[in-house]
Amino acid sequence: MDAMVTGGKAMVADLRRLFADVRNHSEALAASLSAEDQALQSMPDASPVKWHLAHTTWFFEQFVLRATLPDYDVFDADFGFLFNSYYEAVGPRHARVARGMITRPSAAQVGDYRAYVNAAMQDLLAEGRVEIADLVVLGLNHEQQHQELLITDITHAFAQNPLLPVAIPGWRMPVHAGDGEVAWVAFAGGLVEIGYRGEEFHFDNEAPRHQVWLAPYALANQLVTCATMLDFIADGGYRTPSLWMADGWAQVQAQGWSAPLYWRQSGDQWLGFGPGGSAPLDPSAPVAHISWYEADALARWAGARLPTEPEWEAAYGHPRLAEMTGSVWQWTESAYRPYPGFRPVAGAIGEYNGKFMINQMVLRGSSAATPAGHGRASYRNFFHPDKRWQFSGLRLARDC
Amino acid sequence: MDAMVTGGKAMVADLRRLFADVRNHSEALAASLSAEDQALQSMPDASPVKWHLAHTTWFFEQFVLRATLPDYDVFDADFGFLFNSYYEAVGPRHARVARGMITRPSAAQVGDYRAYVNAAMQDLLAEGRVEIADLVVLGLNHEQQHQELLITDITHAFAQNPLLPVAIPGWRMPVHAGDGEVAWVAFAGGLVEIGYRGEEFHFDNEAPRHQVWLAPYALANQLVTCATMLDFIADGGYRTPSLWMADGWAQVQAQGWSAPLYWRQSGDQWLGFGPGGSAPLDPSAPVAHISWYEADALARWAGARLPTEPEWEAAYGHPRLAEMTGSVWQWTESAYRPYPGFRPVAGAIGEYNGKFMINQMVLRGSSAATPAGHGRASYRNFFHPDKRWQFSGLRLARDC
Amino acid sequence: MDAMVTGGKAMVADLRRLFADVRNHSEALAASLSAEDQALQSMPDASPVKWHLAHTTWFFEQFVLRATLPDYDVFDADFGFLFNSYYEAVGPRHARVARGMITRPSAAQVGDYRAYVNAAMQDLLAEGRVEIADLVVLGLNHEQQHQELLITDITHAFAQNPLLPVAIPGWRMPVHAGDGEVAWVAFAGGLVEIGYRGEEFHFDNEAPRHQVWLAPYALANQLVTCATMLDFIADGGYRTPSLWMADGWAQVQAQGWSAPLYWRQSGDQWLGFGPGGSAPLDPSAPVAHISWYEADALARWAGARLPTEPEWEAAYGHPRLAEMTGSVWQWTESAYRPYPGFRPVAGAIGEYNGKFMINQMVLRGSSAATPAGHGRASYRNFFHPDKRWQFSGLRLARDC
Amino acid sequence: MDAMVTGGKAMVADLRRLFADVRNHSEALAASLSAEDQALQSMPDASPVKWHLAHTTWFFEQFVLRATLPDYDVFDADFGFLFNSYYEAVGPRHARVARGMITRPSAAQVGDYRAYVNAAMQDLLAEGRVEIADLVVLGLNHEQQHQELLITDITHAFAQNPLLPVAIPGWRMPVHAGDGEVAWVAFAGGLVEIGYRGEEFHFDNEAPRHQVWLAPYALANQLVTCATMLDFIADGGYRTPSLWMADGWAQVQAQGWSAPLYWRQSGDQWLGFGPGGSAPLDPSAPVAHISWYEADALARWAGARLPTEPEWEAAYGHPRLAEMTGSVWQWTESAYRPYPGFRPVAGAIGEYNGKFMINQMVLRGSSAATPAGHGRASYRNFFHPDKRWQFSGLRLARDC
């Protein structure tokens, strides 16, 4: 998940503080993780904490400092190779699956790298150059995306350790807004507009704003809860092929899925696992850590369906809809594809979003792990339909 | 690829002849194939010719004869297990990857099976029962879909044999309609309707008819040719990551793709392979046997894009658009998802299309291997984006 | 499994009849198999019946006819590529895993190929050339080895078909010689000689004859039976890691082994499967279709061990030892390695045995599927320790 | 690779100092490795440094302290699960492939664990109990084996890091004893005895001592050098199938082997990599990091062969044979199988060696990474024939 700015207008004066705040927050997330923890990669989809900290720094060094300052001395010439994520245009890079091999540079050296780049950035920002503002804002949004991945990746890694360590002490899911009674909120549909509108920062995949025709529909006023998932399990949902897409059913059988990721039974009790460690499952909490296949099957079992992207976005802001952001990402019916008229920007930055627009499904909203400011109406998150390690859940929809 | 009828109104009187024609055509396709050839399975995606001949027969036995005639004697009690494709509701079935193990029943016994079911069907049809007409029409459309797969599957199998046998003597691609000069045909967009409209047979995935809003767009008046693909190859298209989706680029590297499937170089000459055997490539012919990834990259290289489903369907019938059907299937921008309001029918028949509506991309039109009657405006074909063994090509589109 | 002659002295006059007998026997084995059956390959380790029939023919064409007759016209220039098994020195060849793709040439054409080469061979043999005798005898022994593989390969293939067809009508295991009471036959050991001695045909891996020092040991007078295997199963043998080599235990868990290959339970009854089809298990029959890992674990469970090659060979011919040949191959303790002083012969023929002398374990004796004349004292058969589709069983040994 | 004592007679008084020396040496090896480095696992065959440090400690806690002291308090109840290697009899254990997931307990906690167990062991040893001496000596030999693995495992891990870090500063291969001129040392063979003889510590797989008959043979007086390997490469050795075992040739092609592990070309120069980092290749040094397949092919190319185990052991001590120990392990012709009369000891300790006696080849001698005292005549090391990350090379042998 990466980013491209098209219309950032933040004042340069504010940028110095914003830059410091975002950068400090990344380090705060890693505060209770040892150097060993930070080097850990538990699967190809995930990256080490240290890699997130270095890659987001490389972004500023590569696209801002080196591009702007002819005399800039890179911190270490090897870091470009080690910490490029997927920018083909920038040159070769270390294999994604082998990010966990990089015990050197150490966590301490990555800390030095961050300090070095932070200082150079603050100096540059102090010059008040307007032309870099958009790119800096993009870099900060990019770093915020990696803050969420940092949380979900270390959570996945710690789930592989039989000791089930705590990644972020005190971390907990927000209290569920609903009272257990789902209500349907109806919308008339017709010709709606979706996509980003405004002058602030947004990612390229949110544009261009465009018109979509919708049939009448209704959305549930709250998210699907763990209690409902328990009912689904008790009703044999994971053993009933007619509830599943064929590819999903194949996954259920191949992976032996019988509950959301991180759920396990201890005697009669269900336990979950998250950044805050292991804890008894809260039935009233929104279900999380489910794949699109599970969300789709759960919706079908409930006699409903997932919302489409335009349905979700057009409904955003309705006062009766709770938990649209800040709890769990909500899988949609919509495949992740470019909007009509979508154009990636030129150069390496253009590789951010466009080239991933296949084989993935869109999630809307944001999660408890999402930094503030990413929970807007037009935000498009996306993952392959079998992925489960994000805070991914669902909201029900139906035709009217 | 399978089928479900929702509105067939064919007269029962005509059905007896139609039934005989479709059934005979399947056997005609296999006429020059030996019993050995008919048992061959070259990959999990493909099925033996004999299996296609038996499975389409089982469809009539299972869903028409057994469901209608209380005293019907099945031809062989084992055939339900062997020749069920994927209907979970009907019971267990032989593993798809092991269809090539079924040398017995023999091709001759499958021929007997076909004759037995044909006779029972003709007797039943002679009774003039109106209530089975829709199901019979569905079964015939289903068989026609398998006729196309029979051709593409045996072609793939024969491509594995160094002798490169001829599957269908005399088979050749239709002459290319274009003169090499591509022209753009513009459409105003706005609120259009797509989806099947009418009283004839159609598959469930073509319904319901619904409204879609389109921006102005243009379609190429003809298909992309092999000559253009040769230019793409010569221009390094298969070695340029910026032209590809990330998942596509990963496939190019993992599979070593450097040309469409079945293309090979012999000295300075390019050769192709098809149901009619090996032959020098015709540059003016539409390019075929490419994955969605290749179609997408080729369109990007050409400064264009693939059309969306609604764009293609709304343009259907325009007099300046050639080769909309009957040449090669045309990959679209659109992921294969249900139309708004889509509902599978109840029972096992409902498993036909709905459960495959994920991870696949839609192709529109029809190919030289498609039986007559499947080339309508609303027809939706679909394959995973890495599949290449169908007659799959592309038509360019662009924004206006 | 392939062959090299070093000392054949068969009279050329007898060779014509011998040649006809061996060649006819191959065709007799395939007599009840359809053309479809003969093209079937069920796993990379196995080959189609048709391939065996063609490959053994190619051997005579390649190494005898082409090497001897300057004017010989090959039957088909493509067959060298298609039917070479693994002779690197002869040139490129069709991939082993894709032998099942070769539906053409047809079974009938392979029959013509056999007739063509048979006629040329008989003409050549009629010339009475002494210098080809050894090579012809090698070719016939080679063909006999493939006769056994033909039986085990089609048996494996038919086991994948839910109909469990009969490959060889009337085929049955020989009656068990033992009375269920195992007796130990003791041997003093000391300096013994093993390896082929004589003037008749033998394979290169049986030579040179050499001395080996043995400690005193004893062999069981009969083979381990299915009844003993049933006791092993009932005693939890397949669930007890301490009975297994680590690599064997890994296989048990990965493959889910809980009984010999082809065994299955139907209610309270155990059924087996073989060339003669499916039948209730005979507890008094020698256990067959077990891997080296299972043989080793079974011996350990019985408080015994497998014999070494020299122990087995030095004991050969003792009147109290039953079932040394003609029932099931007997896994030994010995890894398949060259004898001291072993030298492959020069040229392509030298590739027969030497290059396989790693990662495999030796079996001694012969099986019910072995053609007459292969059951000699010095014969060395060999398979990887996880292979189960041969008629492989065991005889117990112990230290004295 | 693990260990079992059968005759240790070390004086208990000396054991306290020996225990401290061996234990301290493990920590010294890790002295320049960060906590991050110590948690790294680069492949399933290898283990993290921290795991080696903890597992060897668990061995003393599990088999000595807990078994001897009824009131012993384990350091941490979870460590038994985390740091058991493969002792099925002791209970379940953490998956080998996931050892790299264990960032907690930290390196510091493992250090505390070592100190805790060391103190308890020293207290116990101070009691002068004779009955634990053998087990303690076994534990120390076991730890020494892991010291060698610690070196080879971290070397493999660092080879995955583009920065090619130094694992052990100042580490270097011993100077090559030979002068480049290979001489053959002849041995008469006949009835020899091999296997451990004496009253000191040895592993169970070295016993029982037994007689073997050998034909006359000769061994090269020195090891094969990198210069010879360069000649092999230049002569197309890695591209010549006739030099290879079939399984070896398959590996060459599948893995793309074209030189020993860790060798790479930089312009005209060959570079190697080891515990001391990257350095230009020394042509006079013994070749290391080759698989059995490569050693076997290299010997064949040189017109020689590998020695057998008995040949090597019977020749041990001859004054003209250099580099028998302390340089690189020497692959032999011999498969790793039990000696005649071999019996594992009872209980969990009996799982050390016996269950690995299949699919591996024996190496003799010792390497520059082997702790002192493991280089005796009867020592048997063993790895699968495709493994390359040990200090494995070869000495030539031939028949006389």
Side-chain angles (χ1 to χ4, degrees), chain C residues 246-247 293 333 337 355 359, chain D residues 246-247 293 333 337 355 359:
Chain C
D247 286 0
Y293 296 126
E333 283 267 339
R337 297 289 302 139
K355 73 181 183 182
N359 297 328
Chain D
D247 286 1
Y293 295 126
E333 283 267 338
R337 297 289 301 139
K355 74 181 182 182
N359 297 328

Side-chain angles (χ1 to χ4, degrees), chain D residues 8-258:
Chain D
K9 295 290 178 197
M11 297 301 292
V12 172
D14 291 340
L15 264 183
R16 298 192 73 198
R17 198 186 58 201
L18 180 62
F19 184 88
D21 287 350
V22 170
R23 298 283 288 167
N24 289 342
H25 184 59
S26 297
E27 285 147 36
L29 288 172
S32 68
L33 301 173
S34 70
E36 292 151 285
D37 299 334
Q38 295 189 35
L40 186 57
Q41 181 179 33
S42 57
M43 62 171 173
D45 288 327
S47 296
V49 165
K50 183 169 68 179
W51 188 92
H52 287 299
L53 295 176
H55 165 67
T56 50
T57 304
W58 168 83
F59 187 98
F60 288 110
E61 187 173 66
Q62 173 69 27
F63 295 119
V64 180
L65 295 172
R66 294 182 63 181
T68 308
L69 302 172
D71 297 333
Y72 176 76
D73 283 330
V74 296
F75 178 77
D76 189 310
D78 289 321
F79 283 21
F81 180 82
L82 291 173
F83 299 124
N84 177 1
S85 53
Y86 51 69
Y87 300 85
E88 303 272 0
V90 172
R93 62 189 185 279
H94 187 62
R96 174 168 194 150
V97 297
R99 288 177 183 166
M101 296 296 108
I102 306 305
T103 58
R104 307 198 186 178
S106 67
Q109 286 171 293
V110 168
D112 294 344
Y113 180 38
R114 290 183 67 89
Y116 178 90
V117 167
N118 284 352
M121 283 294 300
Q122 290 291 4
D123 288 349
L124 179 61
L125 291 170
E127 295 179 16
R129 299 201 195 181
V130 174
E131 76 275 16
I132 62 164
D134 283 357
L135 208 47
V136 173
V137 170
L138 170 60
L140 294 175
N141 277 275
H142 169 255
E143 181 143 355
Q144 288 180 309
Q145 292 185 310
H146 279 278
Q147 287 168 357
E148 179 156 5
L149 293 173
L150 183 157
I151 295 171
T152 55
D153 290 358
I154 190 65
T155 300
H156 186 271
F158 275 7
Q160 315 310 310
N161 187 327
L163 305 183
L164 295 176
V166 173
I168 301 184
W171 200 95
R172 49 179 303 170
M173 290 295 289
V175 176
H176 181 49
D179 60 357
E181 195 66 41
V182 175
W184 292 98
V185 183
F187 297 89
L191 194 62
V192 302
E193 266 193 27
I194 68 163
Y196 183 75
R197 174 166 59 185
E199 299 293 313
E200 299 302 318
F201 174 81
H202 61 281
F203 289 101
D204 62 351
N205 63 3
E206 302 172 51
R209 190 164 174 88
H210 62 285
Q211 292 173 299
V212 178
W213 184 268
L214 294 180
Y217 67 102
L219 297 185
N221 70 325
Q222 56 185 260
L223 300 176
V224 172
T225 62
C226 292
T228 302
M229 174 51 93
L230 288 167
D231 290 344
F232 175 81
I233 292 171
D235 197 36
Y238 279 98
R239 300 188 305 272
T240 307
S242 60
L243 294 172
W244 297 80
M245 287 286 166
D247 286 1
W249 184 241
Q251 283 285 324
V252 168
Q253 296 183 291
Q255 308 293 336
W257 288 349
S258 60

Side-chain angles (χ1 to χ4, degrees), chain C residues 205-226:
Chain C
N205 63 3
E206 303 171 52
R209 189 161 175 90
H210 63 285
Q211 291 173 300
V212 178
W213 184 267
L214 294 179
Y217 66 101
L219 297 185
N221 70 325
Q222 57 184 260
L223 299 177
V224 171
T225 62
C226 292

